[in-house]
Amino acid sequence: MSTQTGTVKWFNDQKGYGFIQPDNGGKDVFVHISAVQRSGLQGLRDGEKLSFELQTDQRSGKTSAVNLHVS
């Protein structure tokens, strides 16, 4: 897994998910509250800069952000 950087496009604590806009362009990356919590963060704020890794779910084939670190 390679580390990427991006900006939180939006994150909804009630729904438990949001999206990160990668700095290198491309599609927005899904981020789930469980990945936020596993990274030791309380939540994400819109516009926050962070680094993350991409992980593909074995069953669904969908990609999401993991190992989040606020810049």
mmCIF file of all heavy atoms in Angstrom, residues 9-63:
data_model
loop_
_atom_site.group_PDB
_atom_site.id
_atom_site.type_symbol
_atom_site.label_atom_id
_atom_site.label_comp_id
_atom_site.label_asym_id
_atom_site.label_seq_id
_atom_site.Cartn_x
_atom_site.Cartn_y
_atom_site.Cartn_z
ATOM 1 N N LYS A 9 -13.271 16.080 1.923
ATOM 2 C CA LYS A 9 -14.288 16.793 1.146
ATOM 3 C C LYS A 9 -15.499 17.032 2.044
ATOM 4 O O LYS A 9 -16.004 18.133 2.141
ATOM 5 C CB LYS A 9 -14.662 15.981 -0.086
ATOM 6 C CG LYS A 9 -15.442 16.760 -1.111
ATOM 7 C CD LYS A 9 -15.492 15.988 -2.407
ATOM 8 C CE LYS A 9 -16.108 16.809 -3.507
ATOM 9 N NZ LYS A 9 -16.096 16.079 -4.765
ATOM 10 N N TRP A 10 -15.967 15.965 2.677
ATOM 11 C CA TRP A 10 -17.000 16.066 3.717
ATOM 12 C C TRP A 10 -17.005 14.792 4.530
ATOM 13 O O TRP A 10 -16.611 13.742 4.046
ATOM 14 C CB TRP A 10 -18.389 16.369 3.138
ATOM 15 C CG TRP A 10 -18.971 15.319 2.231
ATOM 16 C CD1 TRP A 10 -18.861 15.263 0.873
ATOM 17 C CD2 TRP A 10 -19.768 14.181 2.602
ATOM 18 N NE1 TRP A 10 -19.520 14.157 0.392
ATOM 19 C CE2 TRP A 10 -20.088 13.475 1.421
ATOM 20 C CE3 TRP A 10 -20.234 13.681 3.814
ATOM 21 C CZ2 TRP A 10 -20.847 12.313 1.429
ATOM 22 C CZ3 TRP A 10 -20.990 12.523 3.812
ATOM 23 C CH2 TRP A 10 -21.288 11.864 2.617
ATOM 24 N N PHE A 11 -17.392 14.934 5.797
ATOM 25 C CA PHE A 11 -17.508 13.780 6.678
ATOM 26 C C PHE A 11 -18.689 14.010 7.601
ATOM 27 O O PHE A 11 -18.817 15.071 8.199
ATOM 28 C CB PHE A 11 -16.231 13.574 7.509
ATOM 29 C CG PHE A 11 -16.237 12.280 8.268
ATOM 30 C CD1 PHE A 11 -15.874 11.101 7.648
ATOM 31 C CD2 PHE A 11 -16.653 12.233 9.592
ATOM 32 C CE1 PHE A 11 -15.907 9.896 8.330
ATOM 33 C CE2 PHE A 11 -16.688 11.044 10.290
ATOM 34 C CZ PHE A 11 -16.318 9.868 9.644
ATOM 35 N N ASN A 12 -19.577 13.021 7.700
ATOM 36 C CA ASN A 12 -20.786 13.128 8.516
ATOM 37 C C ASN A 12 -20.684 12.148 9.677
ATOM 38 O O ASN A 12 -20.719 10.928 9.468
ATOM 39 C CB ASN A 12 -22.006 12.836 7.650
ATOM 40 C CG ASN A 12 -23.306 13.058 8.382
ATOM 41 O OD1 ASN A 12 -23.499 12.593 9.500
ATOM 42 N ND2 ASN A 12 -24.220 13.767 7.735
ATOM 43 N N ASP A 13 -20.549 12.684 10.904
ATOM 44 C CA ASP A 13 -20.417 11.832 12.089
ATOM 45 C C ASP A 13 -21.657 10.971 12.311
ATOM 46 O O ASP A 13 -21.548 9.822 12.737
ATOM 47 C CB ASP A 13 -20.167 12.678 13.340
ATOM 48 C CG ASP A 13 -18.768 13.272 13.353
ATOM 49 O OD1 ASP A 13 -17.825 12.574 12.945
ATOM 50 O OD2 ASP A 13 -18.629 14.431 13.772
ATOM 51 N N GLN A 14 -22.848 11.526 12.038
ATOM 52 C CA GLN A 14 -24.086 10.771 12.245
ATOM 53 C C GLN A 14 -24.177 9.574 11.303
ATOM 54 O O GLN A 14 -24.556 8.482 11.703
ATOM 55 C CB GLN A 14 -25.332 11.665 12.037
ATOM 56 C CG GLN A 14 -25.746 12.420 13.276
ATOM 57 C CD GLN A 14 -24.871 13.650 13.506
ATOM 58 O OE1 GLN A 14 -24.532 14.359 12.574
ATOM 59 N NE2 GLN A 14 -24.494 13.882 14.743
ATOM 60 N N LYS A 15 -23.831 9.788 10.039
ATOM 61 C CA LYS A 15 -23.886 8.695 9.057
ATOM 62 C C LYS A 15 -22.680 7.769 9.179
ATOM 63 O O LYS A 15 -22.740 6.619 8.780
ATOM 64 C CB LYS A 15 -23.977 9.262 7.642
ATOM 65 C CG LYS A 15 -25.301 9.964 7.376
ATOM 66 C CD LYS A 15 -25.384 10.449 5.953
ATOM 67 C CE LYS A 15 -26.736 11.102 5.698
ATOM 68 N NZ LYS A 15 -26.844 11.626 4.349
ATOM 69 N N GLY A 16 -21.571 8.303 9.703
ATOM 70 C CA GLY A 16 -20.393 7.479 9.920
ATOM 71 C C GLY A 16 -19.507 7.282 8.705
ATOM 72 O O GLY A 16 -18.739 6.336 8.634
ATOM 73 N N TYR A 17 -19.591 8.194 7.746
ATOM 74 C CA TYR A 17 -18.706 8.089 6.587
ATOM 75 C C TYR A 17 -18.548 9.437 5.904
ATOM 76 O O TYR A 17 -19.231 10.406 6.246
ATOM 77 C CB TYR A 17 -19.217 7.049 5.579
ATOM 78 C CG TYR A 17 -20.499 7.440 4.870
ATOM 79 C CD1 TYR A 17 -20.463 8.134 3.671
ATOM 80 C CD2 TYR A 17 -21.731 7.105 5.401
ATOM 81 C CE1 TYR A 17 -21.628 8.489 3.023
ATOM 82 C CE2 TYR A 17 -22.901 7.440 4.761
ATOM 83 C CZ TYR A 17 -22.841 8.142 3.566
ATOM 84 O OH TYR A 17 -23.999 8.501 2.928
ATOM 85 N N GLY A 18 -17.643 9.481 4.937
ATOM 86 C CA GLY A 18 -17.414 10.689 4.161
ATOM 87 C C GLY A 18 -16.481 10.392 3.004
ATOM 88 O O GLY A 18 -16.258 9.229 2.659
ATOM 89 N N PHE A 19 -15.935 11.458 2.420
ATOM 90 C CA PHE A 19 -15.064 11.304 1.261
ATOM 91 C C PHE A 19 -13.850 12.220 1.360
ATOM 92 O O PHE A 19 -13.933 13.325 1.891
ATOM 93 C CB PHE A 19 -15.821 11.612 -0.033
ATOM 94 C CG PHE A 19 -16.811 10.543 -0.387
ATOM 95 C CD1 PHE A 19 -18.114 10.602 0.091
ATOM 96 C CD2 PHE A 19 -16.436 9.461 -1.157
ATOM 97 C CE1 PHE A 19 -19.032 9.613 -0.211
ATOM 98 C CE2 PHE A 19 -17.343 8.457 -1.462
ATOM 99 C CZ PHE A 19 -18.648 8.536 -0.989
ATOM 100 N N ILE A 20 -12.729 11.721 0.841
ATOM 101 C CA ILE A 20 -11.474 12.469 0.791
ATOM 102 C C ILE A 20 -11.170 12.751 -0.677
ATOM 103 O O ILE A 20 -11.282 11.859 -1.523
ATOM 104 C CB ILE A 20 -10.323 11.639 1.390
ATOM 105 C CG1 ILE A 20 -10.619 11.324 2.857
ATOM 106 C CG2 ILE A 20 -8.989 12.380 1.233
ATOM 107 C CD1 ILE A 20 -9.682 10.280 3.445
ATOM 108 N N GLN A 21 -10.776 13.985 -0.968
ATOM 109 C CA GLN A 21 -10.369 14.358 -2.319
ATOM 110 C C GLN A 21 -8.851 14.230 -2.400
ATOM 111 O O GLN A 21 -8.129 14.970 -1.726
ATOM 112 C CB GLN A 21 -10.810 15.791 -2.609
ATOM 113 C CG GLN A 21 -10.586 16.220 -4.030
ATOM 114 C CD GLN A 21 -11.250 17.558 -4.304
ATOM 115 O OE1 GLN A 21 -11.375 18.400 -3.421
ATOM 116 N NE2 GLN A 21 -11.682 17.743 -5.522
ATOM 117 N N PRO A 22 -8.347 13.261 -3.186
ATOM 118 C CA PRO A 22 -6.892 13.061 -3.271
ATOM 119 C C PRO A 22 -6.187 14.262 -3.896
ATOM 120 O O PRO A 22 -6.720 14.895 -4.816
ATOM 121 C CB PRO A 22 -6.745 11.843 -4.179
ATOM 122 C CG PRO A 22 -8.085 11.204 -4.221
ATOM 123 C CD PRO A 22 -9.081 12.299 -3.993
ATOM 124 N N ASP A 23 -4.989 14.570 -3.396
ATOM 125 C CA ASP A 23 -4.198 15.671 -3.949
ATOM 126 C C ASP A 23 -3.756 15.395 -5.380
ATOM 127 O O ASP A 23 -3.545 16.324 -6.152
ATOM 128 C CB ASP A 23 -2.960 15.938 -3.074
ATOM 129 C CG ASP A 23 -3.323 16.598 -1.752
ATOM 130 O OD1 ASP A 23 -4.440 17.147 -1.628
ATOM 131 O OD2 ASP A 23 -2.486 16.548 -0.832
ATOM 132 N N ASN A 24 -3.622 14.122 -5.737
ATOM 133 C CA ASN A 24 -3.152 13.769 -7.085
ATOM 134 C C ASN A 24 -4.291 13.716 -8.094
ATOM 135 O O ASN A 24 -4.104 13.257 -9.219
ATOM 136 C CB ASN A 24 -2.399 12.435 -7.067
ATOM 137 C CG ASN A 24 -3.308 11.258 -6.712
ATOM 138 O OD1 ASN A 24 -4.497 11.425 -6.419
ATOM 139 N ND2 ASN A 24 -2.739 10.069 -6.713
ATOM 140 N N GLY A 25 -5.474 14.185 -7.713
ATOM 141 C CA GLY A 25 -6.622 14.130 -8.612
ATOM 142 C C GLY A 25 -7.270 12.762 -8.522
ATOM 143 O O GLY A 25 -7.069 12.024 -7.565
ATOM 144 N N GLY A 26 -8.053 12.417 -9.486
ATOM 145 C CA GLY A 26 -8.707 11.121 -9.471
ATOM 146 C C GLY A 26 -9.993 11.149 -8.656
ATOM 147 O O GLY A 26 -10.423 12.194 -8.169
ATOM 148 N N LYS A 27 -10.583 9.964 -8.514
ATOM 149 C CA LYS A 27 -11.864 9.840 -7.830
ATOM 150 C C LYS A 27 -11.734 10.109 -6.338
ATOM 151 O O LYS A 27 -10.716 9.807 -5.733
ATOM 152 C CB LYS A 27 -12.441 8.431 -8.011
ATOM 153 C CG LYS A 27 -12.848 8.102 -9.421
ATOM 154 C CD LYS A 27 -13.656 6.827 -9.531
ATOM 155 C CE LYS A 27 -13.245 5.736 -8.566
ATOM 156 N NZ LYS A 27 -13.961 4.487 -8.765
ATOM 157 N N ASP A 28 -12.806 10.669 -5.756
ATOM 158 C CA ASP A 28 -12.856 10.836 -4.305
ATOM 159 C C ASP A 28 -12.790 9.470 -3.647
ATOM 160 O O ASP A 28 -13.289 8.482 -4.187
ATOM 161 C CB ASP A 28 -14.153 11.541 -3.896
ATOM 162 C CG ASP A 28 -14.192 12.991 -4.342
ATOM 163 O OD1 ASP A 28 -13.130 13.531 -4.708
ATOM 164 O OD2 ASP A 28 -15.280 13.578 -4.319
ATOM 165 N N VAL A 29 -12.188 9.416 -2.459
ATOM 166 C CA VAL A 29 -11.978 8.161 -1.743
ATOM 167 C C VAL A 29 -12.937 8.080 -0.559
ATOM 168 O O VAL A 29 -13.008 9.003 0.260
ATOM 169 C CB VAL A 29 -10.520 8.049 -1.250
ATOM 170 C CG1 VAL A 29 -10.306 6.748 -0.484
ATOM 171 C CG2 VAL A 29 -9.551 8.147 -2.422
ATOM 172 N N PHE A 30 -13.655 6.982 -0.462
ATOM 173 C CA PHE A 30 -14.581 6.733 0.643
ATOM 174 C C PHE A 30 -13.805 6.516 1.931
ATOM 175 O O PHE A 30 -12.760 5.880 1.933
ATOM 176 C CB PHE A 30 -15.413 5.477 0.314
ATOM 177 C CG PHE A 30 -16.374 5.075 1.398
ATOM 178 C CD1 PHE A 30 -17.612 5.694 1.506
ATOM 179 C CD2 PHE A 30 -16.056 4.070 2.295
ATOM 180 C CE1 PHE A 30 -18.500 5.311 2.502
ATOM 181 C CE2 PHE A 30 -16.935 3.681 3.293
ATOM 182 C CZ PHE A 30 -18.168 4.310 3.394
ATOM 183 N N VAL A 31 -14.326 7.051 3.046
ATOM 184 C CA VAL A 31 -13.720 6.794 4.353
ATOM 185 C C VAL A 31 -14.836 6.500 5.351
ATOM 186 O O VAL A 31 -15.827 7.220 5.423
ATOM 187 C CB VAL A 31 -12.818 7.968 4.822
ATOM 188 C CG1 VAL A 31 -13.589 9.260 4.939
ATOM 189 C CG2 VAL A 31 -12.126 7.628 6.136
ATOM 190 N N HIS A 32 -14.684 5.401 6.094
ATOM 191 C CA HIS A 32 -15.688 4.961 7.063
ATOM 192 C C HIS A 32 -15.230 5.315 8.477
ATOM 193 O O HIS A 32 -14.037 5.350 8.748
ATOM 194 C CB HIS A 32 -15.904 3.445 6.938
ATOM 195 C CG HIS A 32 -17.092 2.959 7.700
ATOM 196 N ND1 HIS A 32 -16.992 2.454 8.968
ATOM 197 C CD2 HIS A 32 -18.407 2.929 7.361
ATOM 198 C CE1 HIS A 32 -18.207 2.122 9.387
ATOM 199 N NE2 HIS A 32 -19.077 2.410 8.431
ATOM 200 N N ILE A 33 -16.190 5.537 9.365
ATOM 201 C CA ILE A 33 -15.885 5.910 10.750
ATOM 202 C C ILE A 33 -14.989 4.870 11.440
ATOM 203 O O ILE A 33 -14.146 5.227 12.257
ATOM 204 C CB ILE A 33 -17.185 6.155 11.562
ATOM 205 C CG1 ILE A 33 -16.877 6.733 12.951
ATOM 206 C CG2 ILE A 33 -18.009 4.878 11.686
ATOM 207 C CD1 ILE A 33 -16.357 8.131 12.941
ATOM 208 N N SER A 34 -15.125 3.593 11.079
ATOM 209 C CA SER A 34 -14.295 2.554 11.707
ATOM 210 C C SER A 34 -12.813 2.771 11.388
ATOM 211 O O SER A 34 -11.949 2.555 12.234
ATOM 212 C CB SER A 34 -14.749 1.158 11.286
ATOM 213 O OG SER A 34 -14.624 0.992 9.893
ATOM 214 N N ALA A 35 -12.507 3.234 10.161
ATOM 215 C CA ALA A 35 -11.113 3.516 9.788
ATOM 216 C C ALA A 35 -10.600 4.733 10.545
ATOM 217 O O ALA A 35 -9.434 4.783 10.946
ATOM 218 C CB ALA A 35 -11.004 3.740 8.283
ATOM 219 N N VAL A 36 -11.484 5.709 10.765
ATOM 220 C CA VAL A 36 -11.115 6.904 11.529
ATOM 221 C C VAL A 36 -10.772 6.500 12.962
ATOM 222 O O VAL A 36 -9.728 6.871 13.499
ATOM 223 C CB VAL A 36 -12.272 7.934 11.512
ATOM 224 C CG1 VAL A 36 -11.956 9.115 12.423
ATOM 225 C CG2 VAL A 36 -12.546 8.414 10.090
ATOM 226 N N GLN A 37 -11.634 5.709 13.571
ATOM 227 C CA GLN A 37 -11.423 5.272 14.957
ATOM 228 C C GLN A 37 -10.196 4.384 15.092
ATOM 229 O O GLN A 37 -9.423 4.518 16.044
ATOM 230 C CB GLN A 37 -12.677 4.559 15.473
ATOM 231 C CG GLN A 37 -13.850 5.503 15.619
ATOM 232 C CD GLN A 37 -15.168 4.795 15.845
ATOM 233 O OE1 GLN A 37 -15.317 3.608 15.546
ATOM 234 N NE2 GLN A 37 -16.138 5.530 16.355
ATOM 235 N N ARG A 38 -9.980 3.458 14.141
ATOM 236 C CA ARG A 38 -8.795 2.589 14.187
ATOM 237 C C ARG A 38 -7.508 3.400 14.075
ATOM 238 O O ARG A 38 -6.458 2.972 14.537
ATOM 239 C CB ARG A 38 -8.852 1.546 13.065
ATOM 240 C CG ARG A 38 -9.691 0.338 13.423
ATOM 241 C CD ARG A 38 -9.425 -0.829 12.485
ATOM 242 N NE ARG A 38 -9.672 -0.523 11.090
ATOM 243 C CZ ARG A 38 -10.847 -0.661 10.471
ATOM 244 N NH1 ARG A 38 -11.888 -1.109 11.127
ATOM 245 N NH2 ARG A 38 -10.977 -0.362 9.199
ATOM 246 N N SER A 39 -7.598 4.578 13.450
ATOM 247 C CA SER A 39 -6.426 5.446 13.304
ATOM 248 C C SER A 39 -6.204 6.308 14.541
ATOM 249 O O SER A 39 -5.281 7.120 14.577
ATOM 250 C CB SER A 39 -6.587 6.336 12.068
ATOM 251 O OG SER A 39 -6.665 5.534 10.903
ATOM 252 N N GLY A 40 -7.089 6.166 15.549
ATOM 253 C CA GLY A 40 -6.940 6.917 16.786
ATOM 254 C C GLY A 40 -7.481 8.334 16.730
ATOM 255 O O GLY A 40 -7.175 9.154 17.589
ATOM 256 N N LEU A 41 -8.300 8.630 15.713
ATOM 257 C CA LEU A 41 -8.868 9.966 15.568
ATOM 258 C C LEU A 41 -10.299 9.994 16.091
ATOM 259 O O LEU A 41 -10.998 8.983 16.052
ATOM 260 C CB LEU A 41 -8.859 10.387 14.093
ATOM 261 C CG LEU A 41 -7.487 10.367 13.400
ATOM 262 C CD1 LEU A 41 -7.649 10.601 11.911
ATOM 263 C CD2 LEU A 41 -6.571 11.404 14.010
ATOM 264 N N GLN A 42 -10.726 11.153 16.577
ATOM 265 C CA GLN A 42 -12.099 11.316 17.075
ATOM 266 C C GLN A 42 -13.080 11.489 15.922
ATOM 267 O O GLN A 42 -14.232 11.095 16.006
ATOM 268 C CB GLN A 42 -12.183 12.530 18.004
ATOM 269 C CG GLN A 42 -11.312 12.409 19.237
ATOM 270 C CD GLN A 42 -11.698 11.216 20.091
ATOM 271 O OE1 GLN A 42 -12.862 10.977 20.345
ATOM 272 N NE2 GLN A 42 -10.712 10.449 20.508
ATOM 273 N N GLY A 43 -12.631 12.123 14.860
ATOM 274 C CA GLY A 43 -13.486 12.388 13.702
ATOM 275 C C GLY A 43 -12.684 13.159 12.675
ATOM 276 O O GLY A 43 -11.485 13.390 12.861
ATOM 277 N N LEU A 44 -13.328 13.556 11.602
ATOM 278 C CA LEU A 44 -12.680 14.334 10.554
ATOM 279 C C LEU A 44 -13.463 15.614 10.333
ATOM 280 O O LEU A 44 -14.685 15.620 10.426
ATOM 281 C CB LEU A 44 -12.619 13.530 9.248
ATOM 282 C CG LEU A 44 -11.809 12.243 9.269
ATOM 283 C CD1 LEU A 44 -11.943 11.524 7.930
ATOM 284 C CD2 LEU A 44 -10.346 12.528 9.569
ATOM 285 N N ARG A 45 -12.747 16.688 10.035
ATOM 286 C CA ARG A 45 -13.386 17.968 9.726
ATOM 287 C C ARG A 45 -13.248 18.267 8.243
ATOM 288 O O ARG A 45 -12.203 18.002 7.647
ATOM 289 C CB ARG A 45 -12.734 19.100 10.520
ATOM 290 C CG ARG A 45 -12.968 19.024 12.015
ATOM 291 C CD ARG A 45 -12.482 20.272 12.745
ATOM 292 N NE ARG A 45 -11.196 20.789 12.289
ATOM 293 C CZ ARG A 45 -10.014 20.366 12.723
ATOM 294 N NH1 ARG A 45 -9.929 19.395 13.607
ATOM 295 N NH2 ARG A 45 -8.911 20.909 12.272
ATOM 296 N N ASP A 46 -14.298 18.842 7.666
ATOM 297 C CA ASP A 46 -14.259 19.241 6.257
ATOM 298 C C ASP A 46 -13.078 20.187 6.036
ATOM 299 O O ASP A 46 -12.837 21.090 6.839
ATOM 300 C CB ASP A 46 -15.556 19.938 5.861
ATOM 301 C CG ASP A 46 -16.766 19.010 5.936
ATOM 302 O OD1 ASP A 46 -16.587 17.814 6.243
ATOM 303 O OD2 ASP A 46 -17.879 19.481 5.676
ATOM 304 N N GLY A 47 -12.309 19.935 4.981
ATOM 305 C CA GLY A 47 -11.159 20.778 4.652
ATOM 306 C C GLY A 47 -9.866 20.364 5.327
ATOM 307 O O GLY A 47 -8.814 20.939 5.054
ATOM 308 N N GLU A 48 -9.916 19.353 6.209
ATOM 309 C CA GLU A 48 -8.728 18.887 6.923
ATOM 310 C C GLU A 48 -7.802 18.138 5.966
ATOM 311 O O GLU A 48 -8.250 17.348 5.157
ATOM 312 C CB GLU A 48 -9.185 17.958 8.047
ATOM 313 C CG GLU A 48 -8.197 17.726 9.131
ATOM 314 C CD GLU A 48 -8.847 17.112 10.359
ATOM 315 O OE1 GLU A 48 -9.696 16.205 10.227
ATOM 316 O OE2 GLU A 48 -8.505 17.548 11.456
ATOM 317 N N LYS A 49 -6.489 18.410 6.072
ATOM 318 C CA LYS A 49 -5.497 17.723 5.249
ATOM 319 C C LYS A 49 -5.035 16.474 5.982
ATOM 320 O O LYS A 49 -4.841 16.499 7.191
ATOM 321 C CB LYS A 49 -4.289 18.627 5.001
ATOM 322 C CG LYS A 49 -4.600 19.848 4.164
ATOM 323 C CD LYS A 49 -4.847 19.474 2.761
ATOM 324 C CE LYS A 49 -3.849 20.105 1.829
ATOM 325 N NZ LYS A 49 -4.066 19.648 0.457
ATOM 326 N N LEU A 50 -4.882 15.377 5.235
ATOM 327 C CA LEU A 50 -4.403 14.156 5.862
ATOM 328 C C LEU A 50 -3.707 13.252 4.874
ATOM 329 O O LEU A 50 -3.768 13.456 3.668
ATOM 330 C CB LEU A 50 -5.560 13.418 6.547
ATOM 331 C CG LEU A 50 -6.888 13.253 5.820
ATOM 332 C CD1 LEU A 50 -6.852 12.060 4.897
ATOM 333 C CD2 LEU A 50 -7.977 13.067 6.837
ATOM 334 N N SER A 51 -3.021 12.257 5.428
ATOM 335 C CA SER A 51 -2.422 11.209 4.607
ATOM 336 C C SER A 51 -3.191 9.926 4.898
ATOM 337 O O SER A 51 -3.779 9.770 5.976
ATOM 338 C CB SER A 51 -0.934 11.054 4.909
ATOM 339 O OG SER A 51 -0.734 10.644 6.239
ATOM 340 N N PHE A 52 -3.195 9.030 3.934
ATOM 341 C CA PHE A 52 -3.962 7.799 4.062
ATOM 342 C C PHE A 52 -3.438 6.755 3.091
ATOM 343 O O PHE A 52 -2.650 7.066 2.201
ATOM 344 C CB PHE A 52 -5.452 8.061 3.790
ATOM 345 C CG PHE A 52 -5.722 8.607 2.400
ATOM 346 C CD1 PHE A 52 -6.047 7.767 1.352
ATOM 347 C CD2 PHE A 52 -5.636 9.968 2.156
ATOM 348 C CE1 PHE A 52 -6.275 8.263 0.078
ATOM 349 C CE2 PHE A 52 -5.876 10.477 0.888
ATOM 350 C CZ PHE A 52 -6.200 9.625 -0.154
ATOM 351 N N GLU A 53 -3.862 5.522 3.302
ATOM 352 C CA GLU A 53 -3.554 4.436 2.379
ATOM 353 C C GLU A 53 -4.862 3.911 1.817
ATOM 354 O O GLU A 53 -5.912 4.023 2.459
ATOM 355 C CB GLU A 53 -2.803 3.318 3.100
ATOM 356 C CG GLU A 53 -1.433 3.750 3.570
ATOM 357 C CD GLU A 53 -0.708 2.674 4.363
ATOM 358 O OE1 GLU A 53 -1.310 1.621 4.647
ATOM 359 O OE2 GLU A 53 0.461 2.892 4.699
ATOM 360 N N LEU A 54 -4.806 3.341 0.635
ATOM 361 C CA LEU A 54 -5.997 2.765 0.005
ATOM 362 C C LEU A 54 -6.059 1.273 0.287
ATOM 363 O O LEU A 54 -5.043 0.581 0.225
ATOM 364 C CB LEU A 54 -5.977 2.993 -1.507
ATOM 365 C CG LEU A 54 -6.069 4.441 -1.973
ATOM 366 C CD1 LEU A 54 -5.985 4.503 -3.485
ATOM 367 C CD2 LEU A 54 -7.352 5.090 -1.482
ATOM 368 N N GLN A 55 -7.257 0.799 0.593
ATOM 369 C CA GLN A 55 -7.467 -0.629 0.834
ATOM 370 C C GLN A 55 -8.685 -1.058 0.033
ATOM 371 O O GLN A 55 -9.715 -0.384 0.038
ATOM 372 C CB GLN A 55 -7.700 -0.873 2.314
ATOM 373 C CG GLN A 55 -7.884 -2.339 2.656
ATOM 374 C CD GLN A 55 -8.023 -2.524 4.157
ATOM 375 O OE1 GLN A 55 -8.847 -1.883 4.789
ATOM 376 N NE2 GLN A 55 -7.203 -3.386 4.721
ATOM 377 N N THR A 56 -8.573 -2.197 -0.651
ATOM 378 C CA THR A 56 -9.694 -2.723 -1.433
ATOM 379 C C THR A 56 -10.366 -3.850 -0.668
ATOM 380 O O THR A 56 -9.691 -4.781 -0.224
ATOM 381 C CB THR A 56 -9.205 -3.237 -2.808
ATOM 382 O OG1 THR A 56 -8.542 -2.161 -3.485
ATOM 383 C CG2 THR A 56 -10.359 -3.732 -3.646
ATOM 384 N N ASP A 57 -11.667 -3.750 -0.501
ATOM 385 C CA ASP A 57 -12.448 -4.776 0.196
ATOM 386 C C ASP A 57 -12.479 -6.045 -0.664
ATOM 387 O O ASP A 57 -12.809 -5.985 -1.849
ATOM 388 C CB ASP A 57 -13.868 -4.271 0.451
ATOM 389 C CG ASP A 57 -14.680 -5.246 1.272
ATOM 390 O OD1 ASP A 57 -15.153 -6.244 0.686
ATOM 391 O OD2 ASP A 57 -14.850 -5.016 2.473
ATOM 392 N N GLN A 58 -12.147 -7.176 -0.053
ATOM 393 C CA GLN A 58 -12.085 -8.448 -0.784
ATOM 394 C C GLN A 58 -13.436 -8.860 -1.353
ATOM 395 O O GLN A 58 -13.514 -9.405 -2.443
ATOM 396 C CB GLN A 58 -11.558 -9.557 0.135
ATOM 397 C CG GLN A 58 -10.158 -9.329 0.657
ATOM 398 C CD GLN A 58 -9.111 -9.336 -0.432
ATOM 399 O OE1 GLN A 58 -9.224 -10.050 -1.417
ATOM 400 N NE2 GLN A 58 -8.078 -8.525 -0.269
ATOM 401 N N ARG A 59 -14.509 -8.619 -0.603
ATOM 402 C CA ARG A 59 -15.835 -9.054 -1.039
ATOM 403 C C ARG A 59 -16.471 -8.118 -2.056
ATOM 404 O O ARG A 59 -16.958 -8.557 -3.079
ATOM 405 C CB ARG A 59 -16.770 -9.217 0.162
ATOM 406 C CG ARG A 59 -16.396 -10.427 1.017
ATOM 407 C CD ARG A 59 -17.242 -10.489 2.245
ATOM 408 N NE ARG A 59 -16.859 -9.394 3.144
ATOM 409 C CZ ARG A 59 -17.611 -8.871 4.076
ATOM 410 N NH1 ARG A 59 -18.815 -9.313 4.278
ATOM 411 N NH2 ARG A 59 -17.164 -7.904 4.844
ATOM 412 N N SER A 60 -16.459 -6.805 -1.743
ATOM 413 C CA SER A 60 -17.169 -5.862 -2.611
ATOM 414 C C SER A 60 -16.302 -5.315 -3.740
ATOM 415 O O SER A 60 -16.826 -4.850 -4.746
ATOM 416 C CB SER A 60 -17.698 -4.687 -1.785
ATOM 417 O OG SER A 60 -16.623 -3.881 -1.333
ATOM 418 N N GLY A 61 -14.980 -5.346 -3.550
ATOM 419 C CA GLY A 61 -14.086 -4.781 -4.555
ATOM 420 C C GLY A 61 -13.983 -3.271 -4.467
ATOM 421 O O GLY A 61 -13.306 -2.639 -5.275
ATOM 422 N N LYS A 62 -14.650 -2.661 -3.474
ATOM 423 C CA LYS A 62 -14.624 -1.202 -3.326
ATOM 424 C C LYS A 62 -13.387 -0.766 -2.552
ATOM 425 O O LYS A 62 -12.905 -1.469 -1.678
ATOM 426 C CB LYS A 62 -15.890 -0.723 -2.615
ATOM 427 C CG LYS A 62 -17.119 -1.009 -3.449
ATOM 428 C CD LYS A 62 -18.348 -0.388 -2.845
ATOM 429 C CE LYS A 62 -19.506 -0.796 -3.733
ATOM 430 N NZ LYS A 62 -20.613 0.071 -3.704
ATOM 431 N N THR A 63 -12.893 0.406 -2.894
ATOM 432 C CA THR A 63 -11.697 0.954 -2.279
ATOM 433 C C THR A 63 -12.073 1.990 -1.233
ATOM 434 O O THR A 63 -12.989 2.782 -1.441
ATOM 435 C CB THR A 63 -10.805 1.611 -3.361
ATOM 436 O OG1 THR A 63 -10.505 0.630 -4.354
ATOM 437 C CG2 THR A 63 -9.517 2.135 -2.778
#
